Amino acid sequence: GRIDPHKLTKILIPIVEAELLQEKYGEWWVRVLHPFLPVLLTRVVSNLQRDIESILDLKSVVLSAFVRDKEVLVELFQKVGRVELDFLV
């Protein structure tokens, strides 16, 4: 299932605001952007859901993560192939 953009926006707003607070003039940015964040983030999430392939090469991200962390790859391989591996051994 897909995540409702409005629900994700409610989760993202405090995270975005916390990150903004770390920046120079962060409190000012939070005050200025707060009224617009719900609409802006909902639109961003909706656009990402609709057209993620043109923004993010998910296959490349997953492959590079597996190459970087071989333990995760081995664990995934063992979980997914447990029945076949048990049969072979």
Side-chain angles (χ1 to χ4, degrees), residues 65-76:
F66 283 150
V67 168
R68 189 173 52 252
D69 192 350
K70 291 178 180 43
E71 289 180 23
V72 172
L73 178 60
V74 170
E75 183 179 330
L76 178 67

Side-chain angles (χ1 to χ4, degrees), residues 4-81:
D4 177 33
H6 298 287
K7 289 181 182 177
L8 185 55
T9 294
K10 288 180 181 178
I11 294 169
L12 289 175
I13 287 174
I15 296 168
V16 170
E17 289 179 344
E19 287 298 317
L20 285 171
L21 288 172
Q22 301 301 314
E23 299 297 321
K24 187 174 184 178
Y25 308 114
E27 290 180 29
W28 181 83
W29 280 112
V30 169
R31 280 195 303 268
V32 168
L33 293 175
H34 183 79
F36 304 102
L37 278 179
V39 173
L40 177 66
L41 290 175
T42 300
R43 288 186 67 192
V44 168
V45 169
S46 296
N47 288 338
L48 284 172
Q49 286 178 328
R50 191 172 40 256
D51 198 22
I52 190 71
E53 290 84 19
S54 70
I55 299 166
L56 178 68
D57 181 3
L58 193 56
K59 182 178 178 180
S60 174
V61 170
V62 171
L63 287 175
S64 65
F66 283 150
V67 168
R68 189 173 52 252
D69 192 350
K70 291 178 180 43
E71 289 180 23
V72 172
L73 178 60
V74 170
E75 183 179 330
L76 178 67
F77 185 78
Q78 288 175 340
K79 284 182 180 179
V80 171

